Amino acid sequence: MSIAKTYNPREAEKKWYSYWMEHGFFRSTPDEREPYTIVMPPPNVTGVLHMGHMLNNTIQDVLIRRARMQGKNACWVPGTDHASIATEAKVVAMLKEQGIDKKSLSRETFLEHAWEWKEKYGGIILKQLEKLGASCDWERTKFTMDPDLSEAVIDTFIKFYKEGYIYRGVRMVNWDPQGKTALSDEEVIRKEVNQKLYYVRYQIKDSEEYIIIATTRPETIMADTAICINPNDERFTHLKGQSVIVPLINREIPIIEDEYVDMDFGTGCLKVTPAHDLNDYELGQKHNLEVIDILNDDGSLNEKAQILIGEDRFIARKKVTNLLEEAGQIEKIEDYKSQVGFSERTDAVIEPKLSMQWFCKMDKLAKPALEYVENGTIKLIPEKFFASYKHWMLNVKDWCISRQLWWGQQIPAWYNENNEWVVAKTEQEAITEFNQQGKSSSNLLQEEDVLDTWFSSALWPMSVFDGVRNPDNTEFNYYYPTQDLVTAPEILFFWVARMIIMGHDYTQKPPFKNVYLTGIVRDKMGRKMSKSLGNSPDPIELMEQYGTDGVRVGMLLSSPAGNDLMFDISYCEQGRNFANKIWNAFRLVKGWETTEAPATESQKNAAIWFENRFNQAVSEIDEHFSHYRLSDALMAIYKLIWDDFCSWYLELIKPAYQAPIEKETHETVKVFFEKILTLAHPFMPFLTEELWHDELFKKREEKDCIIVAQYPVVKDFDIRLIKDFEIVQQIISEVRSIRNAKGISPKIELPLAINAAGIDFETHRETIIKLANISTLDLVNEKIQGAVSFLAGKSECFVALEENIDIDAERERITKEIEYLKGFLISVDKKLSNERFIQNAKPEVVQNEKNKKADADTKLKILEGSLLNLS
RNA sequence: GGAGAAUUAGCUCAGCUGGUUCAGAGCAUCUGCCUUACAAGCAGAGGGUCACUGGUUCGAAUCCAGUAUUCUCCACCA
């Protein structure tokens, strides 16, 4: 029988994923065990797996698999998000391709198309997550527009409305002219843009004089309703109370005064356009200015502009500039950099626009959500994000929750024929409500707008367990609050904060205990990986190439929480190589014939050492996990397996070529092997499951799978024993190093003599002989003449080489070491003779220095002896 | 403009409340090995004024201040 020399991930991946599914290992139902719950941040239903998802979901899978193996009732709830704007844009684009204009469709027909699209193309990403090994409870898959989740959203709207958090009003909002909807402040991305600053002349009425203003948006001058100057600005004192003529349209507007105007910026004169700028709007409110909105929903000019009607705002900007120039009204044009808002979803330039919207009052709601994080009920990992969380929470603004879209939850508000409105779940209830208020209830129309998608995502940890509609249900009581949330820092406010707010409002509990914020996946040049840059590898292809386990390991090796991850393909290679290393260790153990003989002493000692070393590693790994240092945990496993298990333990017990191994030892190796597989399983689910089922270990029962095997628990270990073995390892390394330096083949046996101090070398005799390839190992009490010597711990070792040793080289080496030790002693002595040190330092520290001195003294004496011995 | 963070080996990063001569890991590099588990490997080796300048301290990669560079978040200056 032959086993492939390299691990082939493909078969194992296919086989085990469906095996796990068929046997229901991912499924979770409430029982007497401790629950461990993660709700997956729902990707957009339009989404396709990218490196960010890969990282994020791998982390979640590692956490959930480990918890499952620790005997917890692990429940990972997957799902998708309806992503109003993105999805609606996709559907509109698709319809356009078919020659259908959204405007020509009724709301119902459009939604039919949208649902059709969703059923057909939506949720590809969930399928892709399977490839990654995601052990979600797929039967719980939710969509934010599922009927029950939608109902939860509507209920919440009504609840918040009744509690006085939701109101409706005309406000300046962020308008996305491409998506044709309002956006929340959080959905606006500000970018620095190279612009022009236009200096435009406005003629003073009944005068030849001009006033010059600076603007970046000349196309809005038709909407100007005042010019504002600073009352303290002496340059303009004579203009107070005058009015000016708006160029091109010759409308008369007043000159007003307000200290808001920065005298040093531009010309010190500001044109006031209340309809198209937030600050101007506020100025307008203060000074009772007229509001002239010259823009249509799509960003083109309307008839109020009087000129260039129907032109897009950016074309209009150019044309207005030309017209102004022709009219001699442009003083100058300067280059200018400024921040411009873009839509997070469509990337269109945001237009401040005055419109009627629904808002959620945030200040009161935010308070308890801040407290949770402040008092540690919810932990942010890493903590550094607390500062910005706090800042946002303290300065939170009201949340614009209405969107002028169809795809989403339609706001449950109803208008009667007099345009009066009530909030009610159904039309029937609305009628009742109107009647109670003594108002007309005929010709009711439901509010056209839908709710912000984040309004529904905010309920996610509750709504997936139906906890909003039915808070007393068993599942909700069992799984909520959830344990860990793994997500990107970018949506800390969008999502995390709002989940905490809603969770608290409903349950008086936080929705989760820990928030692990992953980094951003960047390319080698530090650029964020994105589709538009084309610098992101396709995770699916990566997994094809390196194996899923390899890519998982690669991603996690380099991603401390909250730090961005500079992704490089070589990490995946490292992951693949690691998988292959385990595979080959398995081949070795698998290939051994056994003999009935009992284990040898050295094998037993090796086993004792590895057991202790293993327990030490388990402690370290546990510690890393408790701080969510997944990459450190993984590295500890990597080293335990590669170095300790393969390079030391296996080499140590390995029988001679084609010789059988003692059965007792073989059994022990197998036990260790199973243990390290369980440690590795959360990171490398496929390989470990594949090996677990090999008959080398045993015939497994149908449900005896590593995915539910017992995860190693923290146990005591003997640090002394491990340290002693380190000395042995050092001796072996030194002998190999001597070989290397002298060009002596590893096949040639060398004699070794040890002047042992403090360690029982008999225990390790066989080990040293075997791994360092020693012919004779003598324990001596004196120095050996003409041998190369070195110090391991406090034991001096001698290798007598057949050819003459290079005395000068040896002398130099030893002298160097002596000098080092002397320097060391000087520094220690300096400390110890410093009274202030003795007085101020902790007693342990002082004692430690004393011990160091004693150690160094011993070593120094040995080395000085060696030096004498050479001459 | 405000806030936060970072700067340690060629690369990616550890280094927790100052205390081994403290400078570490992985990868990469170099040298020697096709030693029958693994060349996706084995053995060995080299490599860093801990960004800079001051300060606190018996003692600083670690604490403080300033400087430089970089990043992130927030913010309405036309």
Side-chain angles (χ1 to χ4, degrees):
Chain A
M1 185 206 62
S2 74
I3 313 168
K5 227 174 153 176
T6 49
Y7 168 55
N8 175 8
R10 285 200 192 195
E11 283 167 44
E13 286 170 17
K14 235 193 195 140
K15 178 167 61 178
W16 293 112
Y17 200 83
S18 48
Y19 190 93
W20 292 327
M21 285 289 280
E22 280 158 23
H23 290 79
F25 289 125
F26 302 164
R27 242 178 282 154
S28 168
T29 47
D31 59 23
E32 69 292 343
R33 290 176 297 166
E34 180 189 343
Y36 177 87
T37 320
I38 298 182
V39 292
M40 174 188 293
N44 287 348
V45 70
T46 57
V48 178
L49 192 73
H50 59 61
M51 294 305 283
H53 297 121
M54 180 82 205
L55 173 65
N56 184 278
N57 287 287
T58 301
I59 292 168
Q60 292 177 68
D61 196 46
V62 168
L63 295 174
I64 211 91
R65 281 178 187 271
R66 179 167 176 271
R68 189 182 289 123
M69 292 173 77
Q70 286 175 326
K72 294 177 190 163
N73 188 345
C75 181
W76 185 13
V77 184
T80 49
D81 181 319
H82 66 275
S84 278
I85 303 177
T87 310
E88 183 148 332
K90 273 231 156 111
V91 175
V92 168
M94 178 196 75
L95 289 172
K96 201 173 174 187
E97 268 175 37
Q98 298 171 10
I100 305 171
D101 184 359
K102 179 190 163 189
K103 277 186 223 150
S104 71
L105 299 178
S106 70
R107 185 177 190 123
E108 286 66 35
T109 321
F110 177 81
L111 286 176
E112 274 168 33
H113 282 290
W115 278 106
E116 200 180 306
W117 184 93
K118 186 254 169 187
E119 295 309 327
K120 219 166 162 183
Y121 306 105
I124 292 175
I125 190 161
L126 296 182
K127 277 275 149 215
Q128 293 178 310
L129 286 177
E130 293 180 12
K131 170 118 187 117
L132 170 166
S135 59
C136 320
D137 185 349
W138 294 108
E139 290 181 22
R140 295 181 177 275
T141 305
K142 294 287 192 291
F143 176 53
T144 50
M145 268 171 76
D146 284 343
D148 50 331
L149 276 79
S150 278
E151 196 186 347
V153 168
I154 299 304
D155 288 352
T156 304
F157 183 93
I158 294 167
K159 174 179 190 280
F160 274 35
Y161 175 75
K162 285 187 180 153
E163 288 171 354
Y165 293 123
I166 286 177
Y167 65 92
R168 182 174 177 256
V170 174
R171 297 286 186 283
M172 191 62 102
V173 295
N174 308 295
W175 185 262
D176 176 346
Q178 197 174 314
K180 290 184 202 146
T181 177
L183 299 177
S184 68
D185 293 340
E186 287 69 34
E187 286 166 301
V188 177
I189 313 282
R190 298 199 173 263
K191 298 186 214 166
E192 190 165 83
V193 171
N194 287 318
Q195 296 209 92
K196 303 272 183 210
L197 191 57
Y198 304 86
Y199 289 77
V200 184
R201 296 180 185 182
Y202 285 50
Q203 189 173 10
I204 309 289
K205 196 195 172 197
D206 300 329
S207 159
E208 288 303 302
E209 204 184 333
Y210 287 97
I211 192 165
I212 299 167
I213 58 91
T215 179
T216 54
R217 302 200 56 193
E219 74 277 15
T220 63
I221 65 173
M222 291 84 81
D224 288 353
T225 52
I227 293 293
C228 190
I229 56 172
N230 192 307
N232 306 318
D233 195 334
E234 287 169 6
R235 292 173 295 177
F236 304 118
T237 312
H238 65 291
L239 296 175
K240 287 182 183 175
Q242 308 246 33
S243 39
V244 299
I245 308 295
V246 177
L248 304 181
I249 57 167
N250 300 322
R251 186 155 42 75
E252 183 185 336
I253 56 172
I255 293 175
I256 59 167
E257 298 160 46
D258 198 291
E259 296 196 343
Y260 162 77
V261 176
D262 181 350
M263 292 190 283
D264 299 326
F265 186 87
T267 58
C269 298
L270 174 68
K271 80 185 195 64
V272 186
T273 322
H276 300 296
D277 185 280
L278 179 59
N279 297 301
D280 290 11
Y281 175 71
E282 280 163 10
L283 263 181
Q285 292 282 86
K286 198 166 156 191
H287 296 271
N288 283 320
L289 297 177
E290 193 186 349
V291 177
I292 304 175
D293 184 345
I294 61 162
L295 289 176
N296 292 315
D297 288 353
D298 64 357
S300 62
L301 270 56
N302 64 26
E303 66 287 346
K304 293 212 184 101
Q306 299 179 41
I307 53 169
L308 302 171
I309 296 163
E311 292 283 5
D312 179 76
R313 53 194 166 140
F314 296 114
I315 295 170
R317 181 176 301 174
K318 282 188 192 129
K319 292 198 170 168
V320 166
T321 311
N322 290 340
L323 289 173
L324 287 170
E325 260 177 342
E326 280 165 26
Q329 309 268 62
I330 298 261
E331 174 79 9
K332 60 177 174 176
I333 300 175
E334 282 176 352
D335 285 330
Y336 184 67
K337 265 186 199 161
S338 73
Q339 299 283 326
V340 176
F342 291 82
S343 164
E344 204 241 343
R345 294 290 184 202
T346 66
D347 208 35
V349 173
I350 291 302
E351 197 61 52
K353 189 176 163 68
L354 206 54
S355 60
M356 177 66 84
Q357 301 288 346
W358 294 86
F359 294 88
C360 182
K361 240 186 252 170
M362 296 298 280
D363 47 357
K364 255 192 221 146
L365 287 169
K367 263 196 192 123
L370 173 58
E371 277 164 24
Y372 276 135
V373 182
E374 214 154 34
N375 67 24
T377 310
I378 294 175
K379 262 196 224 128
L380 298 186
I381 298 144
E383 284 170 13
K384 67 177 177 188
F385 288 104
F386 175 64
S388 56
Y389 178 81
K390 183 173 177 180
H391 184 262
W392 190 80
M393 283 307 207
L394 289 177
N395 297 286
V396 67
K397 295 203 182 118
D398 287 357
W399 172 15
C400 174
I401 52 175
S402 46
R403 297 289 179 275
Q404 289 62 52
L405 300 165
W406 285 344
W407 180 246
Q409 287 93 10
Q410 197 171 352
I411 289 177
W414 307 79
Y415 300 85
N416 67 11
E417 54 194 351
N418 303 324
N419 212 25
E420 294 163 316
W421 55 273
V422 294
V423 166
K425 194 163 179 178
T426 61
E427 184 165 8
Q428 199 49 54
E429 285 177 25
I431 291 172
T432 314
E433 180 67 31
F434 271 124
N435 290 340
Q436 273 176 2
Q437 292 184 15
K439 290 173 182 164
S440 162
S441 62
S442 44
N443 297 325
L444 293 195
L445 283 176
Q446 188 176 356
E447 167 66 62
E448 290 268 310
D449 293 357
V450 297
L451 284 163
D452 181 7
T453 307
W454 295 103
F455 196 85
S456 56
S457 334
L459 300 170
W460 189 246
M462 296 185 286
S463 60
V464 295
F465 300 114
D466 202 17
V468 172
R469 300 188 311 163
N470 178 17
D472 283 326
N473 81 72
T474 325
E475 295 232 321
F476 187 56
N477 282 326
Y478 183 73
Y479 292 116
Y480 186 94
T482 67
Q483 202 53 235
D484 296 334
L485 179 80
V486 180
T487 191
E490 301 150 3
I491 53 176
L492 190 57
F493 311 125
F494 268 124
W495 192 45
V496 180
R498 288 168 182 165
M499 279 191 287
I500 299 174
I501 286 171
M502 297 246 178
H504 174 77
D505 194 69
Y506 265 104
T507 67
Q508 317 304 309
K509 284 183 212 157
F512 28 72
K513 301 194 180 86
N514 303 293
V515 181
Y516 178 115
L517 296 153
T518 64
I520 296 166
V521 184
R522 299 177 177 278
D523 68 6
K524 253 182 132 177
M525 292 155 76
R527 299 173 307 180
K528 190 171 167 175
M529 283 194 171
S530 75
K531 238 199 231 161
S532 50
L533 269 175
N535 59 347
S536 177
D538 177 359
I540 300 287
E541 278 173 32
L542 277 183
M543 287 187 273
E544 294 287 337
Q545 197 179 348
Y546 296 99
T548 297
D549 291 340
V551 179
R552 288 169 64 116
V553 167
M555 300 243 48
L556 289 189
L557 271 179
S558 54
S559 82
N563 275 11
D564 289 359
L565 162 150
M566 303 291 172
F567 182 78
D568 189 273
I569 220 100
S570 68
Y571 288 119
C572 293
E573 239 170 81
Q574 193 180 351
R576 177 201 59 183
N577 295 354
F578 182 43
N580 198 47
K581 182 74 187 175
I582 298 175
W583 176 259
N584 275 291
F586 166 77
R587 281 181 67 215
L588 175 69
V589 176
K590 169 94 173 162
W592 282 333
E593 301 286 329
T594 56
T595 162
E596 288 301 324
T600 66
E601 281 307 305
S602 81
Q603 286 173 335
K604 279 185 195 161
N605 288 328
I608 292 170
W609 165 74
F610 186 75
E611 176 112 48
N612 278 280
R613 175 62 199 114
F614 177 85
N615 288 335
Q616 184 188 37
V618 170
S619 289
E620 288 165 8
I621 292 159
D622 199 70
E623 174 75 10
H624 288 316
F625 265 110
S626 70
H627 293 100
Y628 293 84
R629 294 193 294 242
L630 268 61
S631 54
D632 292 328
L634 175 56
M635 185 45 73
I637 294 170
Y638 182 91
K639 286 198 266 195
L640 175 74
I641 294 180
W642 201 306
D643 299 341
D644 298 306
F645 186 67
C646 294
S647 297
W648 287 101
Y649 180 69
L650 287 182
E651 289 300 332
L652 224 149
I653 58 155
K654 189 156 109 179
Y657 177 52
Q658 287 193 336
I661 190 162
E662 292 75 1
K663 190 159 182 205
E664 194 186 342
T665 295
H666 199 218
E667 293 306 314
T668 310
V669 188
K670 289 196 275 183
V671 171
F672 287 152
F673 213 129
E674 284 188 339
K675 283 190 182 178
I676 58 173
L677 287 179
T678 55
L679 266 186
H681 177 79
F683 296 94
M684 311 175 85
F686 293 108
L687 169 69
T688 50
E689 192 72 86
E690 172 76 10
L691 296 182
W692 181 261
H693 288 269
D694 191 275
E695 59 189 12
L696 167 70
F697 298 109
K698 59 168 128 157
K699 261 257 175 292
R700 302 280 178 191
E701 300 291 324
E702 197 185 4
K703 289 213 162 187
D704 182 3
C705 292
I706 197 167
I707 189 174
V708 288
Q710 156 92 61
Y711 192 79
V713 292
V714 174
K715 284 188 189 149
D716 289 341
F717 55 90
D718 183 350
I719 188 73
R720 232 350 257 274
L721 195 148
I722 293 169
K723 291 267 176 222
D724 279 0
F725 193 75
E726 275 169 17
I727 306 267
V728 172
Q729 289 174 307
Q730 196 196 335
I731 291 172
I732 293 164
S733 270
E734 291 278 5
V735 174
R736 287 168 174 171
S737 178
I738 290 168
R739 268 208 172 78
N740 237 294
K742 308 272 178 200
I744 302 166
S745 162
K747 286 175 192 159
I748 295 171
E749 294 184 335
L750 294 175
L752 176 68
I754 303 176
N755 190 345
I759 297 181
D760 171 20
F761 276 99
E762 280 313 319
T763 313
H764 303 289
R765 168 179 287 274
E766 293 304 316
T767 299
I768 297 170
I769 288 177
K770 180 167 185 178
L771 296 187
N773 199 21
I774 297 302
S775 53
T776 55
L777 201 173
D778 296 325
L779 294 184
V780 295
N781 291 319
E782 53 202 21
K783 296 184 186 298
I784 306 290
Q785 294 291 333
V788 179
S789 68
F790 59 88
L791 256 182
K794 285 180 216 162
S795 302
E796 196 177 19
C797 307
F798 307 90
V799 179
L801 299 175
E802 285 197 10
E803 60 251 63
N804 290 332
I805 63 162
D806 183 342
I807 303 265
D808 288 339
E810 289 304 307
R811 185 178 289 123
E812 196 187 324
R813 201 175 48 84
I814 294 170
T815 310
K816 252 191 195 162
E817 242 177 289
I818 287 175
E819 249 145 48
Y820 171 89
L821 276 173
K822 279 183 175 164
F824 177 73
L825 277 170
I826 287 171
S827 87
V828 176
D829 278 335
K830 214 165 104 188
K831 277 188 198 172
L832 287 173
S833 58
N834 184 335
E835 272 173 45
R836 283 197 281 185
F837 171 71
I838 304 288
Q839 281 165 9
N840 297 330
K842 281 182 249 168
E844 310 95 83
V845 175
V846 177
Q847 187 53 46
N848 196 13
E849 292 297 315
K850 284 181 182 163
N851 294 345
K852 271 156 54 181
K853 180 179 160 68
D855 267 21
D857 271 333
T858 316
K859 287 184 184 179
L860 189 61
K861 276 193 193 107
I862 296 173
L863 285 175
E864 277 168 352
S866 305
L867 202 56
L868 281 176
N869 195 35
L870 274 176
S871 45

